[in-house]
Amino acid sequence: QVRLVVPIAVAFSPGSVPTDLPRPLPFRDDQEMEITVNLRTTVTSHYEVMYRGTTAQEEAALAAATAREADAALRPLQGVSMGSLTMYVVPETSSLLPQGISVYVGKHRSALVRAGGSLAALQARLQQVTQLMSFTATSMAAALSDRVPDGRLSPDSRRSLKSSLGYEITFSLLNPDPKSHAVDWDIEGAVNCYVKPVLDKLSLVANFSVDSQILYYAVLGVTPRYDKESSSFLLSTHSLPHVINPVEARLGSSAASLYPVLNFLLYVPERSHSPLYIQDKDGAPVSTNAFHSPRWGGIMVYNVEASASPQASLPLHVDVDMARVMEVFLAQLRLLFGLSREELPAEFLLESPGNEGLADWELDHLLWAHTVENIATVSTTLTSLAQLLDKIGNIVIKDDVASEVYRAVASVQSAVAKLGKGHLHSAFQASKEAVTSSERAFFDPSLLHLLYFPDDQKFAIYIPLFLPMAVPILLSLAKIVRETRQRKKEPTKMD
Amino acid sequence: FQDQAEQFFRSGHTNNWAVLVCTSRFWFNYRHVANTLSVYRSVKRLGIPDSHIVLMLADDMACNPRNPKPATVFSHKNMELNVYGDDVEVDYRSYEVTVENFLRVLTGRIPPSTPRSKRLLSDDRSNILIYMTGHGGNGFLKFQDSEEITNVELADAFEQMWQKRRYNELLFIIDTCQGASMYERFYSRNIMALASSQVGEDSLSHQPDLGIGVHLMDRYTFYVLEFLEEIHPASQTNMNDLFQVCPKSLCVSTPGHRTDLFQRDPQNVLITDFFGSVRKVEITTETISLDRDLAGFEREFPEDELATEPLKYAEQLPVAQIIHQKPKQKDWHPPGGFILGLWALIIMVFFKTYGIKHMKHVF
């Protein structure tokens, strides 16, 4: 029973106002949509749409030559609030959007939509854009995946990482053939240049820690097949699942932190197995030469060009092109988080986020999903904690466990309230606090039911002690009662 | 690609865990340790890494003074297979194998100082294999000759795991006498259970080895292992084959299984869903484009890293808090009804027997 409020502003530039507006601009129109997850859980999305005309500054920005420049110019004119969206409707004949494209989604929280004639068509398009930029029914169902009845979930929804307070990212370089290749990778530089901007942007979502290692003589679990036509070695899709396991034993998941670990492996094939390509289902080599596993990480194969002369001295020095590698790894990171840009209608054009890794609206997308997931987790945790306490009546709750429970309840109520007002950022922070408190309360080591004895065990201990002692007492009691009764009868008998 | 993805996602799990528990100690229970270690070997061979295996053993076999072949634990007559090996990683050994620790591992209520290797860090997409062996009875399992775990406690622990979604599917295998009684009380979803014998039957051991002097393995686990030897990571054998593994003619006891709580049909459940670790993979088809020139080579390395003082080991433990803590004032509670009633009874009887005139001496 969560209500998600998305504040949306739709600004009509001159010449794009549809003719069949119900009221003159500016006016407000609210739409509600219900997403039923299961019998007891519904997510209501409430779109507060404010229709207005563009201001002079916005018109000046929209007069730019390309959509990208317009987007950049529009950015300082919007508010900074997370979770809100702004859509600018441009005339149908505008040259801002390229031919055949009717929606352009920028890097921040705005989109340019081509006017479509009637208000209904425009609203349909606006609905599509809103759902893309905030959340859809499937993304909500994925966030609440443990409440959805089985069989209704698509395979997609089980892929992305669960919301957690932090993640560990490990970059590993696998060199199975150090005699032939002396591989050098500037991982520290690459992390500072390419990975840090992305993680800084994602720092709102969770804490990230990055480490790296180099493993020698680490081989893949499968032998690649030699393909004569392309004179290269191929790994088919069927063998990919078995590649990860032999390597994982050597990766050494971090002993220090309890956060989920994301592993990104760069494999430089042996000289005898170069070049190595990954084959997709149709038999064509994959352009990225990489694959990933949900909730685990990704592997990329980096082929070294065979040296021209066979007399080149081994080991060959290899300088890894970190930019190319990071492009793939960061794309895999996005996919692991569930940010995919695959299924889009043809007329949509999405701006690439560049070095930041993800657009602002994608960050919002993550935050919506994680906030809802956190709230659901907290309510499940607290409910099951209450059920545990019902079952074991004599469990002792320590003061700090009690205070954590109170804090969790207060935080989750505040998160729901803030979602209802449309403050995504503060709602997310509140939900994070709620999850921390509830996990701490639920997993407190003192709540082990083994430590609390059920009543029947208590009787089993005390009865053998007290029963023998009680026998003479009860017999004496019986004697007393009999004597009292006799005495009562005697006065009546005596005269 | 979509139908292949469907096939990969049939079971819905993304990682595998195994909790292998041997609940006996002492030399004559060699076979229980050999059982557990053999299952450990198979599970590692099929792909589950040590970081995802919680192994609880008394671990007093390999270096036992009575072991004629020190540092080995054999699972086969004629000492064919040394399951102890060089790389066994025991997480809970010797006196750490207690009911409390086992339940803490399952429910996750572990003190914060526990290292990562001793934790079961499963999530809602983990398939967990739990294997227990030792001496058991009707409704209980004996832990190290000093305590026992009842089937009710085990069922409650699984229910708590389910409530917190600590597993996607769970396979519970038990090889003890009257093993089927341990899974009678399960009531959580997605659990499949196998046992080596029914209530009232004993599980028997397989072969004594004249060189070592003890029985090396239990029958049920021996035949399960023969079955697992033929499984490799890509095999498509399903659970129905595992149910047929040890018929009465070979095992003398009647193995049982329970699948009513399990969502999927055992026909569709692959052995490698629990014993191995077959990852679901997808080809990465998207890339992002990074602007290499923009990459902040001119970015200064962050010099604002907080210089934290290196903590001495002792300072990291809250010893000061523990030592200097004042003993908490225990609130005085009036005695409960039972004690009050008992004392009232005793006093009444005393004065009735000896006469009321003694009361004045008391008051």
Side-chain angles (χ1 to χ4, degrees):
Chain A
Q1 297 75 6
V2 175
R3 206 158 149 270
L4 306 174
V5 169
V6 187
I8 306 175
V10 181
F12 290 99
S13 62
S16 67
V17 182
T19 42
D20 55 343
L21 281 182
R23 298 189 282 285
L25 293 174
F27 68 94
R28 209 175 108 149
D29 186 24
D30 291 350
Q31 289 160 14
E32 275 212 9
M33 216 175 65
E34 274 214 6
I35 305 170
T36 315
V37 177
N38 68 17
L39 290 172
R40 289 172 300 159
T41 320
T42 45
V43 175
T44 318
S45 49
H46 185 99
Y47 301 106
E48 288 174 357
V49 192
M50 168 75 96
Y51 294 96
R52 60 176 174 84
T54 47
T55 63
Q57 294 160 316
E58 289 172 349
E59 281 171 37
L62 284 173
T66 66
R68 187 179 302 178
E69 290 171 24
D71 187 46
L74 283 168
R75 202 251 166 117
L77 302 174
Q78 302 161 28
V80 206
S81 73
M82 313 193 91
S84 65
L85 302 170
T86 319
M87 273 170 264
Y88 299 97
V89 186
V90 294
E92 214 162 330
T93 49
S94 159
S95 59
L96 206 50
L97 299 172
Q99 273 289 35
I101 301 288
S102 48
V103 176
Y104 167 84
V105 178
K107 267 204 287 193
H108 307 291
R109 295 189 174 88
S110 61
L112 302 177
V113 182
R114 198 191 289 273
S118 71
L119 184 63
L122 183 66
Q123 278 187 335
R125 206 168 272 162
L126 288 179
Q127 170 97 307
Q128 269 186 322
V129 180
T130 319
Q131 293 215 329
L132 174 70
M133 290 172 78
S134 58
F135 51 84
T136 63
T138 30
S139 72
M140 281 297 121
L144 298 168
S145 60
D146 56 337
R147 292 180 182 218
V148 177
D150 282 324
R152 296 224 328 237
L153 276 182
S154 64
D156 279 347
S157 54
R158 297 174 187 161
R159 282 190 215 157
S160 54
L161 289 166
K162 275 188 84 68
S163 153
S164 158
L165 294 166
Y167 300 93
E168 276 240 359
I169 300 186
T170 308
F171 292 104
S172 310
L173 172 65
L174 303 176
N175 187 355
D177 198 5
K179 286 206 272 283
S180 318
H181 300 135
V183 188
D184 212 357
W185 72 339
D186 179 24
I187 184 67
E188 208 172 327
V191 163
N192 283 329
C193 297
Y194 302 118
V195 180
K196 267 224 161 34
V198 180
L199 293 185
D200 285 341
K201 190 123 191 226
L202 280 173
S203 62
L204 239 99
V205 178
N207 296 328
F208 286 89
S209 68
V210 180
D211 32 57
S212 68
Q213 60 179 344
I214 305 184
L215 291 175
Y216 294 105
Y217 293 106
V219 289
L220 299 180
V222 273
T223 324
R225 217 174 22 93
Y226 184 68
D227 182 44
K228 277 204 224 4
E229 292 128 31
S230 52
S231 63
S232 60
F233 289 86
L234 296 175
L235 271 179
S236 71
T237 332
H238 305 288
S239 48
L240 290 180
H242 309 298
V243 166
I244 298 184
N245 287 322
V247 183
E248 173 150 27
R250 299 198 49 192
L251 281 179
S253 52
S254 159
S257 92
L258 298 171
Y259 293 143
V261 180
L262 302 175
N263 296 297
F264 291 103
L265 271 54
L266 185 65
Y267 182 73
V268 179
E270 304 113 315
R271 196 136 184 277
S272 50
H273 283 158
S274 287
L276 179 62
Y277 295 109
I278 300 179
Q279 242 183 349
D280 66 8
K281 188 174 70 113
D282 309 316
V286 173
S287 57
T288 55
N289 223 10
F291 64 97
H292 61 276
S293 175
R295 299 203 184 184
W296 183 79
I299 299 187
M300 176 177 174
V301 179
Y302 187 85
N303 285 315
V304 175
E305 289 99 37
S307 63
S309 60
Q311 292 98 357
S313 67
L314 299 175
L316 292 170
H317 185 81
V318 180
D319 252 323
V320 178
D321 178 9
M322 293 310 295
R324 182 159 73 92
V325 166
M326 281 303 161
E327 281 180 355
V328 175
F329 280 163
L330 291 174
Q332 288 179 336
L333 181 68
R334 281 170 48 103
L335 288 170
L336 287 171
F337 270 104
L339 300 169
S340 151
R341 287 182 169 202
E342 297 265 272
E343 315 96 20
L344 287 176
E347 41 190 44
F348 276 56
L349 175 64
L350 264 63
E351 175 68 49
S352 142
N355 278 28
E356 282 201 323
L358 58 158
D360 285 349
W361 56 268
E362 288 181 316
L363 184 63
D364 286 354
H365 197 99
L366 264 185
L367 288 181
W368 287 114
H370 280 200
T371 313
V372 172
E373 191 181 333
N374 284 349
I375 293 177
T377 313
V378 171
S379 62
T380 318
T381 310
L382 292 177
T383 317
S384 68
L385 185 60
Q387 280 176 351
L388 169 69
L389 301 182
D390 273 341
K391 208 128 125 340
I392 307 171
N394 50 355
I395 209 168
V396 169
I397 304 293
K398 294 198 305 196
D399 283 336
D400 46 348
V401 174
S403 64
E404 292 290 345
V405 172
Y406 285 134
R407 204 180 308 158
V409 171
S411 301
V412 83
Q413 282 172 341
S414 120
V416 171
K418 290 191 178 125
L419 276 182
K421 282 194 239 138
H423 304 150
L424 180 59
H425 182 83
S426 43
F428 178 70
Q429 302 292 357
S431 73
K432 253 201 324 195
E433 266 181 41
V435 165
T436 322
S437 298
S438 69
E439 299 277 306
R440 228 180 274 153
F442 188 87
F443 284 121
D444 189 84
S446 71
L447 289 179
L448 198 62
H449 64 277
L450 195 58
L451 304 175
Y452 302 100
F453 302 106
D455 290 328
D456 52 346
Q457 283 195 12
K458 275 198 234 169
F459 282 132
I461 292 174
Y462 288 122
I463 286 196
L465 286 176
F466 287 120
L467 195 60
M469 187 170 74
V471 168
I473 292 182
L474 289 172
L475 287 178
S476 311
L477 262 179
K479 189 152 163 288
I480 291 169
V481 166
R482 244 181 288 138
E483 277 179 9
T484 326
R485 255 196 236 140
Q486 260 184 335
R487 225 179 303 129
K488 274 211 189 110
K489 279 197 213 132
E490 268 171 30
T492 59
K493 261 193 346 197
M494 270 171 52
D495 201 359
Chain B
F1 184 72
Q2 196 55 32
D3 51 323
Q4 223 173 25
E6 281 293 355
Q7 195 199 33
F8 284 168
F9 281 109
R10 242 190 322 177
S11 67
H13 70 280
T14 57
N15 54 34
N16 284 81
W17 285 80
V19 179
L20 309 174
V21 185
C22 164
T23 60
S24 321
R25 58 184 303 117
F26 306 131
W27 175 247
F28 48 83
N29 290 320
Y30 188 100
R31 59 190 186 282
H32 298 140
V33 172
N35 285 351
T36 318
L37 284 174
S38 316
V39 175
Y40 171 75
R41 288 275 155 225
S42 302
V43 148
K44 261 176 83 157
R45 179 178 60 87
L46 290 172
I48 304 187
D50 272 314
S51 53
H52 285 231
I53 301 179
V54 178
L55 180 61
M56 303 175 77
L57 284 183
D59 207 15
D60 56 351
M61 302 301 158
C63 300
N64 195 303
R66 291 161 80 170
N67 191 348
K69 303 272 177 197
T72 60
V73 172
F74 289 107
S75 74
H76 227 277
K77 208 158 65 156
N78 299 327
M79 303 186 204
E80 278 168 27
L81 189 59
N82 172 16
V83 287
Y84 201 65
D86 293 331
D87 58 346
V88 63
E89 235 183 65
V90 181
D91 297 307
Y92 286 86
R93 56 160 35 94
S94 188
Y95 294 109
E96 292 169 357
V97 181
T98 59
V99 175
E100 183 183 334
N101 281 346
F102 177 59
L103 289 179
R104 283 194 191 278
V105 163
L106 287 185
T107 54
R109 299 212 166 95
I110 291 189
S113 55
T114 318
R116 193 183 169 115
S117 60
K118 284 187 165 179
R119 290 178 190 247
L120 179 65
L121 294 169
S122 55
D123 57 28
D124 64 322
R125 291 274 154 244
S126 305
N127 275 10
I128 307 186
L129 165 73
I130 299 190
Y131 174 83
M132 302 183 76
T133 181
H135 290 289
N138 189 356
F140 66 91
L141 175 60
K142 191 168 73 156
F143 261 71
Q144 300 226 332
D145 228 11
S146 65
E147 46 181 7
E148 53 193 42
I149 183 172
T150 57
N151 50 6
V152 175
E153 283 171 353
L154 195 56
D156 284 343
F158 286 158
E159 175 65 13
Q160 296 206 25
M161 287 175 80
W162 174 248
Q163 293 269 334
K164 201 64 186 75
R165 296 293 184 275
R166 276 167 70 79
Y167 67 87
N168 176 38
E169 287 167 349
L170 200 131
L171 177 65
F172 177 76
I173 303 183
I174 184 160
D175 188 353
T176 64
C177 305
Q178 308 194 51
S181 63
M182 288 306 282
Y183 63 63
E184 273 172 2
R185 299 291 197 109
F186 290 167
Y187 56 94
S188 321
R189 275 177 53 176
N190 286 352
I191 302 188
M192 196 189 306
L194 280 114
S196 59
S197 54
Q198 300 295 332
V199 175
E201 287 180 350
D202 287 338
S203 285
L204 302 180
S205 57
H206 186 63
Q207 356 159 268
D209 182 292
L210 298 176
I212 297 184
V214 284
H215 286 260
L216 290 186
M217 276 196 88
D218 280 333
R219 284 179 191 240
Y220 183 69
T221 312
F222 182 78
Y223 290 108
V224 165
L225 276 150
E226 261 188 13
F227 173 78
L228 285 178
E229 289 294 312
E230 278 141 46
I231 309 285
H232 54 91
S235 71
Q236 298 288 311
T237 335
N238 57 40
M239 277 294 164
N240 276 340
D241 303 324
L242 187 59
F243 294 158
Q244 315 298 335
V245 147
C246 197
K248 195 163 164 122
S249 52
L250 289 173
C251 252
V252 186
S253 56
T254 323
H257 55 91
R258 181 177 177 180
T259 54
D260 57 318
L261 295 165
F262 205 73
Q263 299 287 92
R264 297 189 286 145
D265 188 9
Q267 184 81 19
N268 295 331
V269 181
L270 300 176
I271 300 285
T272 49
D273 279 349
F274 288 103
F275 284 91
S277 174
V278 183
R279 302 273 180 182
K280 314 290 185 276
V281 297
E282 294 153 32
I283 308 279
T284 312
T285 45
E286 296 181 13
T287 45
I288 67 173
S289 54
L290 289 174
D291 195 349
R292 289 139 204 250
D293 308 319
L294 194 59
F297 277 113
E298 62 273 5
R299 259 181 96 171
E300 296 124 47
F301 279 62
E303 86 267 0
D304 53 354
E305 281 188 28
L306 303 167
T308 49
E309 303 162 20
L311 287 172
K312 293 209 195 58
Y313 179 65
E315 287 165 28
Q316 292 176 41
L317 304 171
V319 171
Q321 282 177 295
I322 297 171
I323 290 182
H324 299 303
Q325 221 175 28
K326 273 215 182 91
K328 266 214 266 243
Q329 308 282 20
K330 275 210 154 125
D331 297 320
W332 182 81
H333 294 285
F338 180 67
I339 306 287
L340 264 181
L342 191 64
W343 278 107
L345 199 56
I346 293 174
I347 291 178
M348 220 175 66
V349 169
F350 173 77
F351 284 111
K352 193 60 203 163
T353 322
Y354 293 103
I356 217 87
K357 62 182 185 297
H358 288 270
M359 287 255 293
K360 69 173 185 291
H361 292 284
V362 176
F363 291 107

